Amino acid sequence: MKSQTTDQVLETIGSFGRFQIVLNIFCNLVYSFWWSVPVMGMVFIAGEPGWKCKNKTTCPFNETINLGGDMYSFRCDIPRKDWEFADDFTSVVTEFDLVCDRGSLGFVSTSVIFAGFFIGSIVVSPISDKFGRKLPLFICGFLCCVLHFASSFAPVFWLFTLSRAIIGFMIGAFSIPLFVLLTEFSGVRHRGMTGGMVWTGFFLMAMALAGCAYAIRDWRTFTMVTGAPGILLVSGWFFIPESARWLLKRGRQSEARTIFAKVARSNKKEMPEVELKLPKEETLGDLRDLFSSRKMAHRTLVSWLIWFAASFVAWGTAFASPFVGGNMYVNVVITSSAGVLGYPVSGILTLRFGRRKILMVSFLGAAVGAIGAVLLTDKAEDDQGYLAGKIFMSMVVAKFSIEIAFSLVYIYAAELFPTTLRSVGMGTSTASARVSAFAAAYAPLLLTVHRFLPFGIMAGLAVAAAVAVMTAPETHNQPTLENLCLDQNDYDQNNKNSDNVDNEKSTLM
């Protein structure tokens, strides 16, 4: 009987049919309720309102003073009773009075999410390779949702912060297995589009959170209302299958065939009567294998850098949006709108252009937006036109560009690493991203050091990533790497041949 690889089978039974569409919708919902809600919700849960004077004798200002303002720290030199928060919403900052010496704690409650994410992605990724994608996905996703809801009852700040750290661990534990599961059911031609579309729900939910926060000004009620619906997604355990690629890697051919048959029926295709080609028997990889050769070490380091840069700029622009100027809720909607547009654009671009070119241009676009925000900062304080320009450069140009890059680094990393190392490689890459996200949570606090720092750092990282990605191999329309040794050599040869063909075409033109 003729044998076929997983990619060949998917081309026959549908690489992006009804089954993949339903799976993509489910993944969008998971990222919306299990990731966007607990993380982007922190923009409002840990938001810091401006402050204004109550006692004109000790506090002579009439205007509201916000983070980054010249007189922001003046309140620390007068009695607490002589000033008050200006806005009518509550947050952990207002309830636990996180000001002056305790002023950084509000940002800590956000940053610990990414500290937990870092640990979770490293600890659970090997489990995903050994026990499958579904187990960490649904167990950790359920716990994440429950803890977010329960955190609304935290009586003290340290307990709230602890709950956010555990939530971060759970997000790190389920997010990569979910993405790997999705891409492993996609054919070669549609991996880029599938990965680009999966984040749409994240940003749509962020926009919805802005409207919800505007309507619900109490942070505890807001947390409960946004946390409860996600529990229903646990029912996905009963209809989302295990990864057929992972099953084949474990030698469970009959189970993989059964799943492929279900995919074929869902896509209204015929399951071919072929033998499923088993990947080469090879011990599942660990962290050491990421540096098993010079080429693999190079791929690993490039992946870590581009994830670090994409994460810092993406989260930095998101968390800085309430402090750029203008209305906090409108700013979040603008930022999220730019983000949600970036992902389908990324998916469309991947059908035509190579990964490296898209990543380089999008990183450079993010750098241009960040530099533009820096150049307009001073004049934006006194001129509404310059303020609009600063908002456009930082929340539209930079955010739109970096989300194109951020969506593609997932696809690119999944293609750089073989199946044997995919979860470990992506797990460590996303761990790199969480280190930068941890730092990005403090981006607004950098305004108190120097107003140019946040977007200046973003611009530098984006340029460095653009340069680094051009030294890595192109993976567009290349076969999925299954094994660490043989397939990698074949892959590198295919990539070399592809580059030669491109060079030949350029010469002929």
Side-chain angles (χ1 to χ4, degrees):
M1 182 183 292
K2 184 180 178 181
S3 64
Q4 288 188 353
T5 65
T6 301
D7 286 333
Q8 291 171 330
V9 172
L10 283 172
E11 284 299 314
T12 303
I13 65 176
S15 63
F16 192 73
R18 186 168 64 177
F19 172 84
Q20 285 85 1
I21 292 173
V22 171
L23 181 60
N24 198 290
I25 292 173
F26 176 78
C27 292
N28 268 276
L29 291 173
V30 168
Y31 280 138
S32 296
F33 287 97
W34 293 358
W35 190 344
S36 184
V37 165
V39 177
M40 292 305 297
M42 289 299 292
V43 172
F44 308 103
I45 295 171
E48 180 175 349
W51 66 272
K52 60 184 180 181
C53 298
K54 287 177 63 179
N55 186 339
K56 297 299 182 181
T57 302
T58 59
C59 187
F61 310 112
N62 294 319
E63 70 276 11
T64 297
I65 302 175
N66 296 300
L67 180 67
D70 293 335
M71 303 308 298
Y72 172 75
S73 61
F74 181 85
R75 62 182 178 180
C76 301
D77 298 324
I78 60 177
R80 178 63 181 86
K81 60 183 177 60
D82 289 351
W83 65 271
E84 63 183 353
F85 289 110
D87 294 302
D88 60 350
F89 69 89
T90 68
S91 68
V92 294
V93 173
T94 63
E95 178 162 339
F96 300 114
D97 210 31
L98 306 179
V99 298
C100 298
D101 292 341
R102 306 176 71 220
S104 63
L105 294 181
F107 299 100
V108 169
S109 64
T110 299
S111 67
V112 294
I113 295 178
F114 298 105
F117 199 130
F118 174 85
I119 299 172
S121 60
I122 292 179
V123 170
V124 181
S125 289
I127 295 176
S128 174
D129 279 336
K130 288 180 171 63
F131 299 102
R133 318 309 190 198
K134 282 184 65 174
L135 191 67
L137 165 60
F138 285 99
I139 292 178
C140 298
F142 172 73
L143 292 175
C144 171
C145 191
V146 169
L147 281 169
H148 174 71
F149 180 85
S151 68
S152 63
F153 299 98
V156 291
F157 178 71
W158 72 264
L159 189 59
F160 172 82
T161 303
L162 177 62
S163 71
R164 307 319 284 188
I166 299 174
I167 287 171
F169 179 93
M170 297 303 168
I171 295 174
F174 79 75
S175 59
I176 293 301
L178 176 62
F179 188 83
V180 169
L181 177 68
L182 176 66
T183 56
E184 288 183 340
F185 272 112
S186 301
V188 173
R189 293 182 297 114
H190 296 98
R191 279 196 305 247
M193 183 175 65
T194 300
M197 291 174 59
V198 72
W199 302 105
T200 304
F202 181 95
F203 292 99
L204 291 177
M205 178 57 73
M207 296 168 64
L209 287 173
C212 188
Y214 182 80
I216 305 174
R217 300 301 179 95
D218 177 70
W219 76 270
R220 293 185 184 273
T221 305
F222 171 79
T223 304
M224 285 188 287
V225 169
T226 56
I231 298 175
L232 299 175
L233 292 175
V234 180
S235 61
W237 173 272
F238 300 102
F239 65 87
I240 298 298
E242 182 56 86
S243 167
R245 291 184 191 270
W246 178 82
L247 290 170
L248 287 173
K249 194 67 182 176
R250 303 294 290 179
R252 294 156 64 174
Q253 190 174 19
S254 61
E255 295 176 59
R257 175 175 288 278
T258 299
I259 290 175
F260 278 138
K262 292 180 179 178
V263 174
R265 287 195 300 271
S266 179
N267 290 342
K268 299 187 183 302
K269 301 283 186 177
E270 291 292 331
M271 178 65 187
E273 292 296 328
V274 296
E275 182 180 352
L276 298 176
K277 185 177 180 180
L278 295 175
K280 177 185 174 183
E281 286 295 330
E282 194 171 50
T283 303
L284 289 174
D286 57 27
L287 291 173
R288 294 170 296 178
D289 291 320
L290 294 176
F291 298 90
S292 58
S293 67
R294 182 179 59 83
K295 290 181 180 180
M296 184 56 67
H298 177 242
R299 294 182 184 192
T300 299
L301 293 175
V302 169
S303 180
W304 288 0
L305 175 59
I306 62 178
W307 276 73
F308 186 96
S311 175
F312 188 93
V313 180
W315 291 111
T317 51
F319 292 137
S321 60
F323 306 101
V324 171
N327 184 277
M328 175 178 68
Y329 304 101
V330 174
N331 287 356
V332 171
V333 171
I334 292 174
T335 306
S336 301
S337 299
V340 78
L341 288 174
Y343 283 81
V345 169
S346 174
I348 294 171
L349 290 175
T350 57
L351 297 176
R352 181 177 177 85
F353 301 102
R355 315 300 195 215
R356 293 185 302 176
K357 292 179 181 178
I358 301 172
L359 282 168
M360 182 190 69
V361 172
S362 57
F363 274 122
L364 291 178
V368 169
I371 292 171
V374 170
L375 296 177
L376 294 171
T377 293
D378 283 340
K379 293 184 178 181
E381 294 180 1
D382 304 312
D383 189 291
Q384 291 298 311
Y386 283 104
L387 175 59
K390 180 182 179 181
I391 291 173
F392 177 78
M393 294 301 292
S394 63
M395 298 184 201
V396 178
V397 176
K399 185 66 172 177
F400 174 75
S401 299
I402 202 59
E403 293 302 345
I404 292 177
F406 210 174
S407 71
L408 195 52
V409 296
Y410 277 85
I411 302 297
Y412 193 49
E415 294 172 341
L416 280 177
F417 297 106
T419 299
T420 307
L421 278 177
R422 191 162 295 125
S423 282
V424 175
M426 291 192 68
T428 54
S429 295
T430 195
S432 170
R434 297 327 137 198
V435 171
S436 66
F438 177 90
Y442 295 95
L445 199 59
L446 292 175
L447 292 170
T448 63
V449 179
H450 196 287
R451 58 187 176 274
F452 293 165
L453 266 181
F455 290 104
I457 293 174
M458 294 179 203
L461 283 172
V463 171
V467 173
V469 76
M470 293 309 296
T471 68
E474 180 57 74
T475 61
H476 182 52
N477 284 339
Q478 298 294 326
T480 302
L481 275 171
E482 300 290 355
N483 299 297
L484 181 59
C485 300
L486 179 62
D487 286 354
Q488 181 181 338
N489 294 332
D490 293 342
Y491 178 97
D492 289 336
Q493 185 61 41
N494 288 339
N495 189 73
K496 182 179 179 181
N497 293 339
S498 177
D499 287 343
N500 290 338
V501 170
D502 289 341
N503 292 336
E504 183 180 354
K505 288 181 179 178
S506 298
T507 303
L508 291 174
M509 293 175 66

